[in-house]
Amino acid sequence: MTVALTGGIGSGKSTVSALFAALDVPVIDADQIARRVAEPGGAAYPAMVALLGADAVGADGCIRRDHARKLVFRDDALRRRLEQIVHPIVRDEIGKAMGQIDDPYCIVSIPLLLETGSAGEFDRILVVDLPEDEQIARTARRDGTGAEDVRNIMLRQADRATRIKAAHDIVDNSGEPGELHARVQQLHGKYLHLARQLSDNAGPGAQDSG
Ligand code: ADP
C-alpha cells in the first residue's frame, strides 16, 4: 500500500516522515530524488543545464541551486519548463522505488502532490496540517526566510482547504512536537491493518472483477 504524505511548506512533513522512518516504515522522499536527478550524471541534469545555461553550473559541475532558484523566481515560464523536465523524471523514480518495496506499506513524501496532479497514483493521502501563520513562523525559524518570501512560496502551493479536501487522513501539527509520536503510532497501526486488507483482497483467493 502506498501512502502519499503532503503538506505546505513548514507544516511538518519532514518531522512526520522521520517518525514513520523510526518505526521502520520505508520512506521515499520526492525532494531527495529531485536533488539526486539534478546532480551531474542524474537523469534530469543535461536538460536542466541546457535550459538554465552554463552560468548555472558551478566549478564542481553541480547546478548552483541558489542561482537556479533566483532565475525561476522572476520567470514563471522558465519555472514551468524546469518543472516539465524534473517532475516526470521524479515521478518515474518514485514509481521504481515503490516497486522495490516488500513492506506492507510505504510513505512517499511529496510536497507538491496536488500541484503536480499525482494524487491518483497512491492508495492514500496523508496531509500534515497547520494554520498558515504558524507555517510562516516555523519556516522562518527553520530557514531564516522572511515572511514575505514564505508567503510567495505558499501562493504557488495548494491552499489549506484544497489539501484537507484531498486527505484520507490528517495530522494536526499545531500542538507540541511530542504529540506527533502518538498520532503517527496510531496511523501506523491503521495503515498496517489497511495494507493487510488490501493484500487479502488482492490475494490468490480473491475474486477477479476483470
Ligand atoms: P516541512 O518538511 O513540511 O517543510 P518540517 O518538518 O521541516 O516541515 O517542520 C518545519 C519546522 O518546524 C522545523 O524546524 C521543525 O523542527 C519544526 N516543527 C515541526 N513540528 C513542530 C511542532 N509541532 N511544534 C514546533 N515546531 C515544529
Side-chain angles (χ1 to χ4, degrees):
M1 184 173 82
T2 55
V3 180
L5 170 70
T6 195
I9 182 170
S11 59
K13 295 175 298 293
S14 310
T15 309
V16 170
S17 281
L19 290 169
F20 277 103
L23 296 172
D24 284 334
V25 176
V27 175
I28 297 167
D29 185 319
D31 274 352
Q32 239 172 46
I33 293 176
R35 277 194 292 272
R36 183 159 46 77
V37 299
E39 284 168 3
Y45 179 83
M48 286 177 74
V49 173
L51 179 70
L52 297 172
D55 280 355
V57 181
D60 57 358
C62 294
I63 293 168
R64 291 157 50 208
R65 294 177 64 82
D66 53 339
H67 182 83
R69 212 174 289 134
K70 272 185 212 141
L71 285 179
V72 301
F73 197 74
R74 47 174 188 248
D75 186 343
D76 261 0
L78 185 71
R79 181 171 54 80
R80 274 195 297 275
R81 283 161 69 195
L82 189 62
E83 287 171 356
Q84 280 161 10
I85 293 169
V86 176
H87 289 171
I89 292 173
V90 171
R91 208 175 185 142
D92 241 42
E93 292 290 316
I94 289 174
K96 277 189 224 160
M98 291 195 306
Q100 283 168 3
I101 284 170
D102 271 337
D103 297 60
Y105 81 97
C106 66
I107 296 285
V108 187
S109 173
I110 312 192
L112 299 179
L113 177 78
L114 302 175
E115 297 82 346
T116 54
S118 346
E121 292 165 29
F122 303 92
D123 295 311
R124 293 189 77 80
I125 298 172
L126 172 59
V127 166
V128 187
D129 180 54
L130 194 64
E132 282 158 3
D133 285 352
E134 193 59 23
Q135 268 181 270
I136 293 169
R138 287 185 191 173
T139 305
R141 270 206 299 279
R142 183 189 60 190
D143 304 334
T145 316
E148 204 47 45
D149 286 347
V150 182
R151 253 189 222 104
N152 271 324
I153 294 171
M154 287 167 65
L155 280 177
R156 291 201 296 268
Q157 298 187 339
D159 63 22
R160 197 177 170 199
T162 305
R163 272 194 299 265
I164 287 176
K165 204 166 150 212
H168 296 95
D169 303 291
I170 295 173
V171 172
D172 170 4
N173 191 20
S174 59
E176 293 298 314
E179 293 170 27
L180 288 175
H181 277 276
R183 177 66 178 132
V184 169
Q185 281 276 4
Q186 182 190 40
L187 285 166
H188 181 54
K190 176 174 177 173
Y191 291 156
L192 286 175
H193 178 75
L194 288 171
R196 194 168 312 121
Q197 277 184 341
L198 260 185
S199 83
D200 285 351
N201 289 341
Q207 291 282 322
D208 182 0
S209 59

Short mmCIF file of all heavy atoms in Angstrom, two decimals, residues 37-103:
data_model
loop_
_atom_site.label_atom_id
_atom_site.label_comp_id
_atom_site.label_asym_id
_atom_site.label_seq_id
_atom_site.Cartn_x
_atom_site.Cartn_y
_atom_site.Cartn_z
N VAL A 37 18.44 13.60 -9.05
CA VAL A 37 18.40 13.57 -10.52
C VAL A 37 18.98 14.85 -11.13
O VAL A 37 19.28 14.88 -12.32
CB VAL A 37 16.97 13.32 -11.07
CG1 VAL A 37 16.44 11.96 -10.59
CG2 VAL A 37 16.02 14.45 -10.73
N ALA A 38 19.15 15.89 -10.31
CA ALA A 38 19.73 17.15 -10.80
C ALA A 38 21.25 17.19 -10.64
O ALA A 38 21.89 18.14 -11.06
CB ALA A 38 19.11 18.33 -10.05
N GLU A 39 21.82 16.13 -10.03
CA GLU A 39 23.28 16.10 -9.88
C GLU A 39 23.93 15.65 -11.19
O GLU A 39 23.27 15.01 -12.01
CB GLU A 39 23.67 15.10 -8.77
CG GLU A 39 23.41 15.64 -7.38
CD GLU A 39 23.51 14.58 -6.30
OE1 GLU A 39 23.86 13.40 -6.61
OE2 GLU A 39 23.24 14.93 -5.14
N PRO A 40 25.22 16.00 -11.41
CA PRO A 40 25.90 15.52 -12.61
C PRO A 40 25.74 14.01 -12.73
O PRO A 40 25.92 13.29 -11.75
CB PRO A 40 27.37 15.90 -12.36
CG PRO A 40 27.31 17.04 -11.40
CD PRO A 40 26.11 16.80 -10.54
N GLY A 41 25.37 13.53 -13.91
CA GLY A 41 25.13 12.10 -14.08
C GLY A 41 23.67 11.73 -13.84
O GLY A 41 23.22 10.65 -14.19
N GLY A 42 22.91 12.63 -13.23
CA GLY A 42 21.49 12.37 -12.95
C GLY A 42 20.65 12.54 -14.22
O GLY A 42 21.05 13.24 -15.15
N ALA A 43 19.47 11.91 -14.22
CA ALA A 43 18.65 11.87 -15.44
C ALA A 43 18.16 13.25 -15.89
O ALA A 43 17.94 13.47 -17.07
CB ALA A 43 17.46 10.93 -15.20
N ALA A 44 18.00 14.18 -14.93
CA ALA A 44 17.47 15.49 -15.31
C ALA A 44 18.57 16.50 -15.62
O ALA A 44 18.30 17.57 -16.16
CB ALA A 44 16.57 16.03 -14.18
N TYR A 45 19.80 16.14 -15.25
CA TYR A 45 20.91 17.12 -15.32
C TYR A 45 21.13 17.72 -16.71
O TYR A 45 21.15 18.97 -16.84
CB TYR A 45 22.18 16.44 -14.78
CG TYR A 45 23.42 17.32 -14.80
CD1 TYR A 45 23.67 18.23 -13.78
CD2 TYR A 45 24.34 17.23 -15.84
CE1 TYR A 45 24.81 19.02 -13.79
CE2 TYR A 45 25.48 18.02 -15.85
CZ TYR A 45 25.72 18.91 -14.83
OH TYR A 45 26.84 19.70 -14.84
N PRO A 46 21.27 16.91 -17.78
CA PRO A 46 21.58 17.52 -19.08
C PRO A 46 20.52 18.52 -19.54
O PRO A 46 20.85 19.63 -19.97
CB PRO A 46 21.64 16.31 -20.04
CG PRO A 46 21.83 15.12 -19.16
CD PRO A 46 21.18 15.44 -17.86
N ALA A 47 19.25 18.15 -19.41
CA ALA A 47 18.18 19.05 -19.86
C ALA A 47 18.11 20.30 -18.98
O ALA A 47 17.81 21.40 -19.47
CB ALA A 47 16.84 18.31 -19.86
N MET A 48 18.41 20.15 -17.68
CA MET A 48 18.39 21.31 -16.78
C MET A 48 19.49 22.29 -17.16
O MET A 48 19.27 23.51 -17.18
CB MET A 48 18.55 20.85 -15.32
CG MET A 48 17.30 20.20 -14.76
SD MET A 48 17.56 19.60 -13.07
CE MET A 48 17.55 21.15 -12.16
N VAL A 49 20.68 21.77 -17.44
CA VAL A 49 21.79 22.65 -17.81
C VAL A 49 21.49 23.34 -19.13
O VAL A 49 21.72 24.55 -19.30
CB VAL A 49 23.12 21.85 -17.89
CG1 VAL A 49 24.24 22.74 -18.44
CG2 VAL A 49 23.50 21.33 -16.50
N ALA A 50 20.91 22.59 -20.08
CA ALA A 50 20.57 23.18 -21.37
C ALA A 50 19.57 24.33 -21.18
O ALA A 50 19.64 25.35 -21.85
CB ALA A 50 20.00 22.11 -22.30
N LEU A 51 18.65 24.15 -20.25
CA LEU A 51 17.63 25.18 -20.02
C LEU A 51 18.18 26.38 -19.25
O LEU A 51 17.91 27.53 -19.59
CB LEU A 51 16.44 24.57 -19.26
CG LEU A 51 15.30 25.53 -18.92
CD1 LEU A 51 14.54 25.92 -20.19
CD2 LEU A 51 14.32 24.91 -17.91
N LEU A 52 18.94 26.11 -18.19
CA LEU A 52 19.36 27.19 -17.27
C LEU A 52 20.62 27.91 -17.75
O LEU A 52 20.89 29.03 -17.32
CB LEU A 52 19.59 26.62 -15.87
CG LEU A 52 18.35 26.01 -15.19
CD1 LEU A 52 18.73 25.31 -13.90
CD2 LEU A 52 17.30 27.09 -14.92
N GLY A 53 21.40 27.27 -18.61
CA GLY A 53 22.60 27.91 -19.14
C GLY A 53 23.83 27.57 -18.32
O GLY A 53 23.73 27.15 -17.16
N ALA A 54 24.99 27.77 -18.94
CA ALA A 54 26.27 27.39 -18.33
C ALA A 54 26.53 28.16 -17.03
O ALA A 54 27.19 27.66 -16.12
CB ALA A 54 27.40 27.60 -19.32
N ASP A 55 25.98 29.37 -16.95
CA ASP A 55 26.17 30.18 -15.74
C ASP A 55 25.60 29.50 -14.49
O ASP A 55 25.99 29.84 -13.37
CB ASP A 55 25.45 31.53 -15.88
CG ASP A 55 26.27 32.50 -16.71
OD1 ASP A 55 27.41 32.14 -17.06
OD2 ASP A 55 25.76 33.60 -17.00
N ALA A 56 24.66 28.62 -14.70
CA ALA A 56 24.01 27.96 -13.57
C ALA A 56 24.85 26.81 -13.01
O ALA A 56 24.50 26.22 -12.00
CB ALA A 56 22.63 27.45 -13.98
N VAL A 57 25.96 26.48 -13.73
CA VAL A 57 26.79 25.35 -13.29
C VAL A 57 28.02 25.86 -12.55
O VAL A 57 28.73 26.74 -13.04
CB VAL A 57 27.23 24.51 -14.52
CG1 VAL A 57 28.08 23.32 -14.07
CG2 VAL A 57 26.01 24.03 -15.29
N GLY A 58 28.24 25.34 -11.36
CA GLY A 58 29.40 25.74 -10.56
C GLY A 58 30.67 25.04 -11.03
O GLY A 58 30.62 24.17 -11.90
N ALA A 59 31.81 25.41 -10.41
CA ALA A 59 33.11 24.85 -10.80
C ALA A 59 33.14 23.32 -10.60
O ALA A 59 33.86 22.61 -11.30
CB ALA A 59 34.21 25.51 -9.97
N ASP A 60 32.35 22.83 -9.65
CA ASP A 60 32.33 21.38 -9.39
C ASP A 60 31.38 20.63 -10.33
O ASP A 60 31.18 19.43 -10.19
CB ASP A 60 31.92 21.12 -7.93
CG ASP A 60 30.55 21.74 -7.60
OD1 ASP A 60 29.94 22.41 -8.49
OD2 ASP A 60 30.08 21.56 -6.46
N GLY A 61 30.78 21.35 -11.29
CA GLY A 61 29.88 20.69 -12.24
C GLY A 61 28.44 20.62 -11.75
O GLY A 61 27.53 20.27 -12.50
N CYS A 62 28.20 20.96 -10.49
CA CYS A 62 26.84 20.90 -9.94
C CYS A 62 26.06 22.15 -10.33
O CYS A 62 26.63 23.23 -10.45
CB CYS A 62 26.88 20.80 -8.41
SG CYS A 62 27.59 19.26 -7.84
N ILE A 63 24.76 21.97 -10.49
CA ILE A 63 23.90 23.12 -10.74
C ILE A 63 23.81 23.93 -9.45
O ILE A 63 23.58 23.37 -8.37
CB ILE A 63 22.51 22.66 -11.21
CG1 ILE A 63 22.63 21.99 -12.59
CG2 ILE A 63 21.52 23.83 -11.25
CD1 ILE A 63 21.41 21.25 -13.05
N ARG A 64 24.06 25.24 -9.55
CA ARG A 64 24.01 26.09 -8.35
C ARG A 64 22.55 26.36 -8.02
O ARG A 64 21.86 27.10 -8.71
CB ARG A 64 24.76 27.39 -8.61
CG ARG A 64 26.27 27.16 -8.75
CD ARG A 64 26.95 28.27 -9.52
NE ARG A 64 26.60 29.59 -9.01
CZ ARG A 64 26.58 30.70 -9.75
NH1 ARG A 64 26.86 30.64 -11.04
NH2 ARG A 64 26.25 31.85 -9.22
N ARG A 65 22.12 25.76 -6.93
CA ARG A 65 20.70 25.80 -6.58
C ARG A 65 20.21 27.22 -6.30
O ARG A 65 19.11 27.60 -6.69
CB ARG A 65 20.40 24.90 -5.38
CG ARG A 65 20.63 23.43 -5.67
CD ARG A 65 20.41 22.57 -4.44
NE ARG A 65 19.03 22.62 -4.00
CZ ARG A 65 18.06 21.88 -4.53
NH1 ARG A 65 18.31 21.06 -5.51
NH2 ARG A 65 16.82 21.97 -4.07
N ASP A 66 21.06 28.01 -5.63
CA ASP A 66 20.63 29.38 -5.31
C ASP A 66 20.46 30.19 -6.60
O ASP A 66 19.50 30.96 -6.74
CB ASP A 66 21.62 30.06 -4.36
CG ASP A 66 23.05 30.00 -4.87
OD1 ASP A 66 23.36 29.13 -5.71
OD2 ASP A 66 23.87 30.84 -4.44
N HIS A 67 21.36 29.97 -7.55
CA HIS A 67 21.28 30.67 -8.84
C HIS A 67 20.01 30.24 -9.58
O HIS A 67 19.25 31.09 -10.07
CB HIS A 67 22.53 30.33 -9.66
CG HIS A 67 22.60 31.03 -10.98
ND1 HIS A 67 23.07 32.32 -11.11
CD2 HIS A 67 22.25 30.63 -12.22
CE1 HIS A 67 23.00 32.67 -12.38
NE2 HIS A 67 22.51 31.67 -13.08
N ALA A 68 19.78 28.94 -9.64
CA ALA A 68 18.60 28.41 -10.33
C ALA A 68 17.32 28.97 -9.68
O ALA A 68 16.37 29.35 -10.36
CB ALA A 68 18.60 26.89 -10.30
N ARG A 69 17.33 28.99 -8.35
CA ARG A 69 16.16 29.49 -7.62
C ARG A 69 15.88 30.95 -7.98
O ARG A 69 14.73 31.34 -8.21
CB ARG A 69 16.40 29.34 -6.11
CG ARG A 69 15.14 29.06 -5.32
CD ARG A 69 15.42 28.77 -3.87
NE ARG A 69 16.05 27.47 -3.67
CZ ARG A 69 17.12 27.25 -2.89
NH1 ARG A 69 17.70 28.24 -2.25
NH2 ARG A 69 17.61 26.03 -2.75
N LYS A 70 16.95 31.75 -8.07
CA LYS A 70 16.78 33.16 -8.42
C LYS A 70 16.23 33.31 -9.84
O LYS A 70 15.35 34.14 -10.09
CB LYS A 70 18.12 33.91 -8.31
CG LYS A 70 18.37 34.43 -6.91
CD LYS A 70 19.65 35.27 -6.87
CE LYS A 70 20.31 35.12 -5.50
NZ LYS A 70 21.77 35.04 -5.56
N LEU A 71 16.76 32.49 -10.76
CA LEU A 71 16.30 32.57 -12.15
C LEU A 71 14.80 32.30 -12.25
O LEU A 71 14.06 33.04 -12.90
CB LEU A 71 17.04 31.55 -13.03
CG LEU A 71 18.49 31.85 -13.40
CD1 LEU A 71 19.06 30.73 -14.25
CD2 LEU A 71 18.59 33.18 -14.15
N VAL A 72 14.34 31.22 -11.61
CA VAL A 72 12.93 30.84 -11.76
C VAL A 72 12.02 31.72 -10.92
O VAL A 72 10.83 31.85 -11.22
CB VAL A 72 12.67 29.34 -11.45
CG1 VAL A 72 13.49 28.46 -12.36
CG2 VAL A 72 12.93 29.02 -9.99
N PHE A 73 12.58 32.35 -9.89
CA PHE A 73 11.77 33.20 -9.03
C PHE A 73 11.16 34.35 -9.81
O PHE A 73 10.02 34.74 -9.59
CB PHE A 73 12.64 33.74 -7.88
CG PHE A 73 11.84 34.27 -6.73
CD1 PHE A 73 11.21 33.39 -5.86
CD2 PHE A 73 11.72 35.63 -6.50
CE1 PHE A 73 10.47 33.86 -4.80
CE2 PHE A 73 10.97 36.11 -5.43
CZ PHE A 73 10.34 35.22 -4.58
N ARG A 74 11.93 34.88 -10.79
CA ARG A 74 11.41 36.03 -11.52
C ARG A 74 10.93 35.66 -12.92
O ARG A 74 10.66 36.52 -13.73
CB ARG A 74 12.46 37.14 -11.59
CG ARG A 74 13.83 36.66 -11.99
CD ARG A 74 14.79 37.82 -12.17
NE ARG A 74 16.02 37.32 -12.74
CZ ARG A 74 17.17 37.28 -12.11
NH1 ARG A 74 17.28 37.72 -10.88
NH2 ARG A 74 18.25 36.80 -12.70
N ASP A 75 10.85 34.37 -13.24
CA ASP A 75 10.47 33.96 -14.59
C ASP A 75 9.58 32.71 -14.51
O ASP A 75 10.07 31.58 -14.48
CB ASP A 75 11.74 33.69 -15.40
CG ASP A 75 11.46 33.40 -16.87
OD1 ASP A 75 10.30 33.08 -17.20
OD2 ASP A 75 12.39 33.49 -17.68
N ASP A 76 8.27 32.95 -14.52
CA ASP A 76 7.31 31.85 -14.36
C ASP A 76 7.39 30.83 -15.49
O ASP A 76 7.22 29.63 -15.26
CB ASP A 76 5.89 32.40 -14.29
CG ASP A 76 5.42 32.50 -12.86
OD1 ASP A 76 6.20 32.14 -11.96
OD2 ASP A 76 4.27 32.95 -12.64
N ALA A 77 7.61 31.33 -16.72
CA ALA A 77 7.66 30.42 -17.87
C ALA A 77 8.86 29.47 -17.73
O ALA A 77 8.76 28.27 -17.99
CB ALA A 77 7.76 31.20 -19.17
N LEU A 78 9.97 30.03 -17.26
CA LEU A 78 11.17 29.22 -17.05
C LEU A 78 10.92 28.17 -15.95
O LEU A 78 11.32 27.01 -16.08
CB LEU A 78 12.35 30.12 -16.67
CG LEU A 78 13.69 29.41 -16.52
CD1 LEU A 78 14.22 28.97 -17.89
CD2 LEU A 78 14.73 30.32 -15.85
N ARG A 79 10.24 28.62 -14.91
CA ARG A 79 9.93 27.68 -13.81
C ARG A 79 9.09 26.51 -14.32
O ARG A 79 9.34 25.35 -14.00
CB ARG A 79 9.22 28.40 -12.66
CG ARG A 79 8.91 27.48 -11.48
CD ARG A 79 8.39 28.24 -10.27
NE ARG A 79 7.24 29.06 -10.59
CZ ARG A 79 6.00 28.60 -10.69
NH1 ARG A 79 5.75 27.34 -10.49
NH2 ARG A 79 5.02 29.42 -11.00
N ARG A 80 8.11 26.84 -15.16
CA ARG A 80 7.25 25.77 -15.69
C ARG A 80 8.05 24.81 -16.57
O ARG A 80 7.85 23.60 -16.51
CB ARG A 80 6.09 26.36 -16.49
CG ARG A 80 4.90 26.72 -15.58
CD ARG A 80 3.63 26.96 -16.38
NE ARG A 80 3.79 28.11 -17.26
CZ ARG A 80 3.59 29.38 -16.88
NH1 ARG A 80 3.22 29.65 -15.64
NH2 ARG A 80 3.76 30.37 -17.73
N ARG A 81 8.96 25.36 -17.38
CA ARG A 81 9.76 24.49 -18.25
C ARG A 81 10.68 23.61 -17.41
O ARG A 81 10.90 22.43 -17.72
CB ARG A 81 10.56 25.32 -19.26
CG ARG A 81 9.65 25.80 -20.40
CD ARG A 81 10.23 26.96 -21.15
NE ARG A 81 11.41 26.59 -21.91
CZ ARG A 81 12.26 27.49 -22.43
NH1 ARG A 81 12.06 28.77 -22.22
NH2 ARG A 81 13.30 27.09 -23.12
N LEU A 82 11.21 24.18 -16.35
CA LEU A 82 12.06 23.39 -15.45
C LEU A 82 11.24 22.26 -14.81
O LEU A 82 11.69 21.11 -14.73
CB LEU A 82 12.64 24.32 -14.38
CG LEU A 82 13.73 23.72 -13.49
CD1 LEU A 82 14.94 23.33 -14.31
CD2 LEU A 82 14.15 24.73 -12.41
N GLU A 83 10.03 22.60 -14.40
CA GLU A 83 9.17 21.58 -13.78
C GLU A 83 8.82 20.47 -14.78
O GLU A 83 8.72 19.31 -14.42
CB GLU A 83 7.89 22.23 -13.25
CG GLU A 83 8.13 23.05 -11.99
CD GLU A 83 6.92 23.89 -11.57
OE1 GLU A 83 5.90 23.88 -12.31
OE2 GLU A 83 7.02 24.54 -10.53
N GLN A 84 8.63 20.89 -16.05
CA GLN A 84 8.30 19.88 -17.07
C GLN A 84 9.46 18.90 -17.29
O GLN A 84 9.25 17.78 -17.73
CB GLN A 84 7.93 20.56 -18.39
CG GLN A 84 6.49 21.08 -18.39
CD GLN A 84 6.24 22.13 -19.46
OE1 GLN A 84 7.09 22.36 -20.34
NE2 GLN A 84 5.10 22.76 -19.40
N ILE A 85 10.66 19.35 -17.00
CA ILE A 85 11.82 18.45 -17.09
C ILE A 85 11.87 17.55 -15.86
O ILE A 85 11.98 16.34 -15.95
CB ILE A 85 13.14 19.26 -17.19
CG1 ILE A 85 13.19 20.02 -18.53
CG2 ILE A 85 14.34 18.35 -17.03
CD1 ILE A 85 14.33 21.05 -18.60
N VAL A 86 11.77 18.19 -14.69
CA VAL A 86 12.08 17.48 -13.45
C VAL A 86 10.93 16.56 -12.99
O VAL A 86 11.16 15.41 -12.60
CB VAL A 86 12.45 18.48 -12.32
CG1 VAL A 86 12.67 17.76 -11.01
CG2 VAL A 86 13.70 19.27 -12.71
N HIS A 87 9.70 17.06 -13.05
CA HIS A 87 8.59 16.29 -12.45
C HIS A 87 8.40 14.89 -13.05
O HIS A 87 8.26 13.93 -12.29
CB HIS A 87 7.29 17.09 -12.51
CG HIS A 87 7.28 18.25 -11.55
ND1 HIS A 87 6.31 19.23 -11.55
CD2 HIS A 87 8.15 18.59 -10.57
CE1 HIS A 87 6.58 20.11 -10.60
NE2 HIS A 87 7.68 19.75 -10.00
N PRO A 88 8.39 14.74 -14.39
CA PRO A 88 8.19 13.38 -14.92
C PRO A 88 9.30 12.41 -14.52
O PRO A 88 9.05 11.23 -14.26
CB PRO A 88 8.19 13.57 -16.45
CG PRO A 88 7.95 15.02 -16.67
CD PRO A 88 8.48 15.73 -15.47
N ILE A 89 10.53 12.95 -14.41
CA ILE A 89 11.66 12.09 -14.03
C ILE A 89 11.52 11.67 -12.57
O ILE A 89 11.72 10.51 -12.21
CB ILE A 89 13.01 12.81 -14.31
CG1 ILE A 89 13.19 12.97 -15.83
CG2 ILE A 89 14.17 12.05 -13.69
CD1 ILE A 89 14.39 13.80 -16.24
N VAL A 90 11.13 12.62 -11.72
CA VAL A 90 10.95 12.30 -10.30
C VAL A 90 9.81 11.27 -10.14
O VAL A 90 9.92 10.30 -9.38
CB VAL A 90 10.66 13.58 -9.48
CG1 VAL A 90 10.24 13.24 -8.06
CG2 VAL A 90 11.88 14.49 -9.47
N ARG A 91 8.76 11.47 -10.89
CA ARG A 91 7.61 10.57 -10.84
C ARG A 91 8.02 9.14 -11.20
O ARG A 91 7.63 8.18 -10.55
CB ARG A 91 6.63 11.08 -11.88
CG ARG A 91 5.20 10.81 -11.64
CD ARG A 91 4.46 11.52 -12.73
NE ARG A 91 3.04 11.43 -12.54
CZ ARG A 91 2.22 12.43 -12.82
NH1 ARG A 91 2.67 13.57 -13.29
NH2 ARG A 91 0.93 12.28 -12.63
N ASP A 92 8.82 9.04 -12.25
CA ASP A 92 9.36 7.75 -12.70
C ASP A 92 10.18 7.08 -11.62
O ASP A 92 10.04 5.88 -11.35
CB ASP A 92 10.32 8.05 -13.86
CG ASP A 92 9.88 7.39 -15.13
OD1 ASP A 92 8.67 7.42 -15.39
OD2 ASP A 92 10.78 6.86 -15.83
N GLU A 93 11.05 7.87 -11.01
CA GLU A 93 11.94 7.35 -9.97
C GLU A 93 11.14 6.90 -8.75
O GLU A 93 11.45 5.90 -8.12
CB GLU A 93 12.96 8.42 -9.53
CG GLU A 93 13.97 8.78 -10.61
CD GLU A 93 14.96 7.65 -10.88
OE1 GLU A 93 15.44 7.04 -9.91
OE2 GLU A 93 15.23 7.37 -12.07
N ILE A 94 10.08 7.65 -8.42
CA ILE A 94 9.22 7.26 -7.29
C ILE A 94 8.56 5.91 -7.62
O ILE A 94 8.51 5.01 -6.78
CB ILE A 94 8.16 8.34 -7.01
CG1 ILE A 94 8.83 9.57 -6.39
CG2 ILE A 94 7.07 7.81 -6.07
CD1 ILE A 94 7.88 10.76 -6.21
N GLY A 95 8.09 5.78 -8.85
CA GLY A 95 7.47 4.51 -9.28
C GLY A 95 8.43 3.35 -9.12
O GLY A 95 8.06 2.29 -8.60
N LYS A 96 9.66 3.56 -9.54
CA LYS A 96 10.68 2.49 -9.44
C LYS A 96 10.94 2.15 -7.97
O LYS A 96 11.00 0.98 -7.60
CB LYS A 96 12.00 2.96 -10.07
CG LYS A 96 12.06 2.78 -11.57
CD LYS A 96 13.49 3.07 -12.04
CE LYS A 96 13.46 3.93 -13.28
NZ LYS A 96 14.71 4.64 -13.55
N ALA A 97 11.07 3.19 -7.15
CA ALA A 97 11.37 2.97 -5.73
C ALA A 97 10.22 2.23 -5.05
O ALA A 97 10.43 1.31 -4.25
CB ALA A 97 11.64 4.30 -5.03
N MET A 98 8.98 2.58 -5.41
CA MET A 98 7.82 1.90 -4.80
C MET A 98 7.79 0.43 -5.21
O MET A 98 7.43 -0.44 -4.43
CB MET A 98 6.51 2.59 -5.22
CG MET A 98 6.33 3.97 -4.60
SD MET A 98 4.64 4.65 -4.70
CE MET A 98 4.26 4.54 -6.43
N GLY A 99 8.20 0.18 -6.46
CA GLY A 99 8.20 -1.19 -6.98
C GLY A 99 9.16 -2.11 -6.25
O GLY A 99 9.04 -3.33 -6.30
N GLN A 100 10.15 -1.52 -5.57
CA GLN A 100 11.17 -2.34 -4.91
C GLN A 100 10.84 -2.63 -3.45
O GLN A 100 11.62 -3.27 -2.76
CB GLN A 100 12.53 -1.62 -4.99
CG GLN A 100 13.14 -1.76 -6.38
CD GLN A 100 14.32 -0.82 -6.58
OE1 GLN A 100 14.71 -0.10 -5.66
NE2 GLN A 100 14.86 -0.83 -7.78
N ILE A 101 9.70 -2.15 -2.99
CA ILE A 101 9.40 -2.28 -1.56
C ILE A 101 8.58 -3.53 -1.27
O ILE A 101 7.62 -3.83 -1.96
CB ILE A 101 8.71 -0.99 -1.06
CG1 ILE A 101 9.78 0.09 -0.93
CG2 ILE A 101 7.99 -1.21 0.27
CD1 ILE A 101 9.26 1.45 -0.68
N ASP A 102 9.05 -4.27 -0.24
CA ASP A 102 8.38 -5.51 0.15
C ASP A 102 7.53 -5.34 1.40
O ASP A 102 6.79 -6.23 1.78
CB ASP A 102 9.44 -6.57 0.47
CG ASP A 102 9.80 -7.36 -0.79
OD1 ASP A 102 8.96 -7.38 -1.70
OD2 ASP A 102 10.91 -7.92 -0.85
N ASP A 103 7.66 -4.20 2.06
CA ASP A 103 6.94 -3.97 3.32
C ASP A 103 5.45 -3.81 3.05
O ASP A 103 5.05 -3.54 1.92
CB ASP A 103 7.48 -2.70 3.99
CG ASP A 103 8.95 -2.82 4.35
OD1 ASP A 103 9.76 -3.03 3.43
OD2 ASP A 103 9.28 -2.72 5.53
#
